[in-house]
Amino acid sequence: MKRTGAQIIWESLVREGVKYVFGYPGGAILPAYDAMLDYPIHHVLVRHEQGGTHMADGYARAGGGVGVAMATSGPGATNMITGIATAQMDSSPIVCITGQVPSKLVGYDAFQETDVTGITLPITKHNYLVTDVRDIQHTIREAFYIARTGRPGPVLVDITKDAQQASADFEPDTSPIRLPGYRPDLRPLTADMHTAAELIREAERPLILAGHGVLMSGAMRELREFAERTRTPVAMTLLGIGCLPASHPLNLGMMGMHGEAWVNNAIQQADLLLAFGMRFDDRVTGNTKTYAPNAKKIHIEIDPSEVNKNVKVDVALIGDLRETLGQLLPHLGHCDHSEWLEYIDEMKGDTAVRDIQSLPDSGHLYAAHVINDLWRFTRGEALVVTDVGQHQMWEAQYYKHETPHSHITSGGLGTMGFALPAAIGAKFARPEAEVWAVAGDGGFQMTAAELATAAQENLKVNVAIINNGYLGMVRQWQEFFYERRYAATPMRSPDFVKLAEAHGLTGIRVTERSQIEAAVRQAEDTQGTVVIDFRVEQEDSVYPMVPAGADLHAMIRRPKPSVLAETAADR
Amino acid sequence: MRHTLVALVEDKPGVLNRVASLFRRRAFNIESLTVGHTERPGVSRMTIVIDSDQTSAHRVTAHLYTLVNVIQVDDLAEKPAVNRDLALVKVRAEGDSRARLLRVVDETRAHIVDTSATTVTLEITGEPEHLDLVIGRLQPFGVVEMVRTGLVAMARGDVAMRPPNGGYSNHAAVPLD
Ligand SMILES: Cc1ncc(C[n+]2csc(CCOP(=O)(O)OP(=O)(O)O)c2C)c(N)n1
Ligand SMILES: [Mg+2]
C-alpha cells in the first residue's frame, strides 16, 4: 500500500486507539489536516494551542489514555510550550504532533521555522524530528510507547512538511518496540524488599505519603490494603487526592504548604515515612533540613532519578508502585498503632475549631463555603478540575474526593489557565462524568477563549469562577510577607455572566451563600456549558500555611474564631 | 572530587545535545566531554568528567538514565581505570632553546609531530596529570598554541560495559556521601 506521510500519521493514530485530537491548523501541518477528513478521529478545534495541550493533558489524567495535541510550526508549536511543561511536571502522557517547515529549509530561518525539538528538549520525556516519510510510523509508535510507559510524560513529534507530502509503502507495524536505552520495567531488589518489610514491622509511628504515582499506576486497592492491614494513616500530596476515599478513617488529607496542621505535624513526628509515588517536592517538605527528622524513609518510586534527590531515604524500591506493593504485602502482618492514631486524632480536634467552616455565617460569601456546598450539592461525585491559586487550595481542602481520578490540577508547574481546557479534555474522556472547572478570576481569563471550543463542541462542563477581584494567592503572599503592598494583584474582570452569554452559554451570578444550591442545580440541569460567577470575600486567605522554605511544622495557623456558629448540615 | 562518567549512547543526531543540555539544566559543570565510536555499530561512547561529590554523581547518573538514547552509564571514579588525555602543543624553539627543548621532549616521552624554523609541535599522551606536568615544563619555552582532547577512560581488567538486562542497581544500595 502506498500512503502519504500525512495519511500515515492518521493511520498510526487510529492504530494507537486515538479518538480525539485537540489541535489548530497552519501551513506546515496542512497536509496532515487535509488527510484527517478520511479517518475516524474527531478533531477538536481549540482557540489557542496551549488550550489544546491542556485538553490532551486533562483527557489523559481523566483516564482517556494518551492525549493528543496537534499544531503547526513556529508560533503554533511555541504556543504549546506551557502545556507541555505542565504535562512534564505532572507526568501526564500526551503526544504532541507539530508540523515543521520542509526539510530543505530547516536551518535557514524559513517562514514560521522554530527549533521546536530544541526548545522542548528539557520539557519533554523525549522528542523527535522526522524528515523522512519512512520514519513516521515507527516514530509515532515509539512516541506513544514512551509517553505511556514507565514514568509517563509528554512526547513531541515534529514532522517536516515534505515528509507529510511524500509517499511510501505502508505496512502496519506490530512488532514489539525496542529501544536499547529505555527500560521502563525496573524491579526492586529482593534484599531491599526485606529491609523495607522489617522497617515497617518495627515502626511505631508510620505514615504513608501517597502521591500521583498511586493513581498513575492504579495502586488504589494495594494502598488501601496496605494502610488497613498495617493500620498506617495516609497523607496525600495535592496530586494524590482521590487515591483513598476522603471518608476513609485512615485518610488524613493533604500534606504540605496548605496541608492541615495535624497532617504536617504527624509527618514531623513520624518514625517511618512510606513515600508511595511522590517526589518530596519543596511544596510538601518545607525545609528539608528539618523535615521528618526522626523518620526512617522508604521510597517506592518508578523513576530512579527521584530517589535521594530532595530527601535522602533509607530504602528505595524502584519499580511500578502497584506491582511493588503487591510484592511487599505478603511480607506484612497486621499492626495496631492505636496510640499513634489516637494521638493524631487529638491534633485533629484542636484544628477543627479553627476551620473556616466554623465561622459565623455572616451572609458573606466565602470561597471555602462555595467549595463545601459544591461538594454537598454534587454529592461529592463531580470530577473537579482546578486552576492555580487560592481556590485550588480551598478545593483541595474542602471538596472531599471519594473516588480516584476525580481531582485534576496542575501541581508541579502550577499553571494558571489550566482548569477550563483540562476540564474540556476530561469531559471528552469521561462524557458520563459531571465535570466542574473551578478557577480563579485571574486564571480563568488566561484561557477563557476555550469557552468557544466548548460551545462549538456542544460540550457540557460547568465552570465555577471563584471571583475575589484579586490574583488572590499572590495577594495573600503580599499580605503575609510584603506588608500588604498589593502590587499588580487587584484585578478588574469582565462581566463573566455576559461573557458566557456572548458564547451562547449560560451565566449565573452568586453573591450570597443561600444562592449556591440553586445555582449548582441550575448548572446541573442545563444542557450546555454553564459559567457561575461566585463573588466571594476579597481578602480571604488560605490557612494553614507553611511559608516557602520554612520548617513544615512552622505553620501560619488559622485565626481562632471567637464565636462558633454553624449549622449542623455544614459539617 | 573528580568523577569520570562513561555513557554508552545511541549514535543518533542530537544525542550529544541532549546529554550536554541535561548537565546544563541540572547545573553540573562539565570539565571535559569526549565522544567517539565503540566496538558496536550504532553505539557511541561519551566520557564526561565532572567535579562533584558522590551524591551528585549518583544524581546525574540517574538523570542520564532518564534520557531515552542513553544505554548505560558507569562512574569510573569507583573502580580502577585507564585514563588517557592527548595534547598537541606548539612550542617556540629558536636558537639554543631548541636544543634544550629537545632534551625535555626526550625525558617526557613527548612526540615531535611537526617542526618549523621557529616552532616545534609536540604530541603528549598519558594520564591527565602527566600532561599537566609536561605542559608545565614546556611553558618556559613559550607555548604558542595548545589543545587537549579531554579524557577518555576504560575500566581495568576483564570487565566491559554492557547494557544491563533487567533490574536497576538500587541507588540506596550504593552508599551515599
Ligand atoms: C501562568 C501563571 N502565571 C502566574 C502565576 C503566579 N500565580 C500563582 S497563583 C496566582 C493568582 C491566581 O489568581 P486567581 O486566578 O484569581 O486565583 P485566586 O488565587 O484568586 O483564587 C498567580 C498570579 C502562575 N501560577 N501561573
Ligand atoms: Mg482571584
Side-chain angles (χ1 to χ4, degrees), chain B residues 102-117:
Chain B
L102 294 183
R103 267 202 303 282
V104 175
V105 170
D106 237 19
E107 287 165 23
T108 55
R109 285 176 286 125
H111 295 285
I112 297 172
V113 290
D114 186 46
T115 57
S116 74

Side-chain angles (χ1 to χ4, degrees), chain A residues 170-194:
Chain A
F170 176 80
E171 280 307 326
D173 183 1
T174 52
S175 61
I177 290 167
R178 292 198 48 214
L179 297 164
Y182 184 64
R183 293 178 294 274
D185 47 356
L186 303 171
R187 302 237 158 73
L189 306 177
T190 319
D192 291 332
M193 210 70 144
H194 287 295

Side-chain angles (χ1 to χ4, degrees), chain A residues 121-122 125-127 146 179-183 186-187 189 192 303-305 307-309 312 314-318, chain B residues 10 17-18 21 24-26 59 62-63 65-71 164 166-168 170-173 176-177:
Chain A
L121 192 143
K125 186 172 172 185
H126 195 54
N127 65 21
I146 292 171
L179 297 164
Y182 184 64
R183 293 178 294 274
L186 303 171
R187 302 237 158 73
L189 306 177
D192 291 332
D303 178 359
S305 74
V307 173
N308 292 321
K309 187 180 84 176
K312 191 168 176 281
D314 298 272
V315 185
L317 305 177
I318 306 287
Chain B
E10 284 185 90
N17 185 23
R18 287 177 198 278
S21 170
R24 173 193 55 79
R25 150 144 159 63
R26 302 281 178 186
R59 230 187 95 208
H63 283 307
Y65 273 113
T66 64
L67 297 180
V68 168
N69 304 114
V70 171
I71 301 166
Y168 185 87
N170 191 330
H171 270 236
L176 291 159
D177 306 320

Side-chain angles (χ1 to χ4, degrees), chain A residues 327-394:
Chain A
Q327 288 165 25
L328 190 58
L329 277 167
H331 298 287
L332 303 176
H334 290 267
C335 308
D336 179 37
H337 301 314
S338 50
E339 238 175 83
W340 168 233
L341 291 168
E342 277 161 30
Y343 174 70
I344 294 174
D345 257 1
E346 269 169 44
M347 292 198 286
K348 211 172 186 166
D350 164 58
T351 305
V353 290
R354 297 167 181 266
D355 199 307
I356 188 159
Q357 300 300 338
S358 313
L359 281 177
D361 200 340
S362 58
H364 283 274
L365 190 59
Y366 287 98
H369 286 152
V370 174
I371 302 294
N372 182 273
D373 289 358
L374 183 65
W375 165 70
R376 279 166 52 206
F377 301 132
T378 58
R379 303 154 304 279
E381 288 167 3
L383 194 177
V384 186
V385 185
T386 57
D387 216 80
V388 172
Q390 292 183 312
H391 64 279
Q392 178 191 30
M393 294 299 120
W394 280 315

Side-chain angles (χ1 to χ4, degrees), chain A residues 22-24 45-55 70-71 75-76 78-83 421 446-447 449-450 453:
Chain A
F22 306 95
Y24 208 93
L45 179 64
V46 303
R47 293 302 183 269
H48 185 292
E49 290 85 350
Q50 178 188 350
T53 48
H54 290 327
M55 286 178 206
M70 191 174 271
T78 54
N79 271 353
M80 289 179 135
I81 302 301
T82 302
M446 283 202 167
T447 52
E450 303 304 342
T453 308

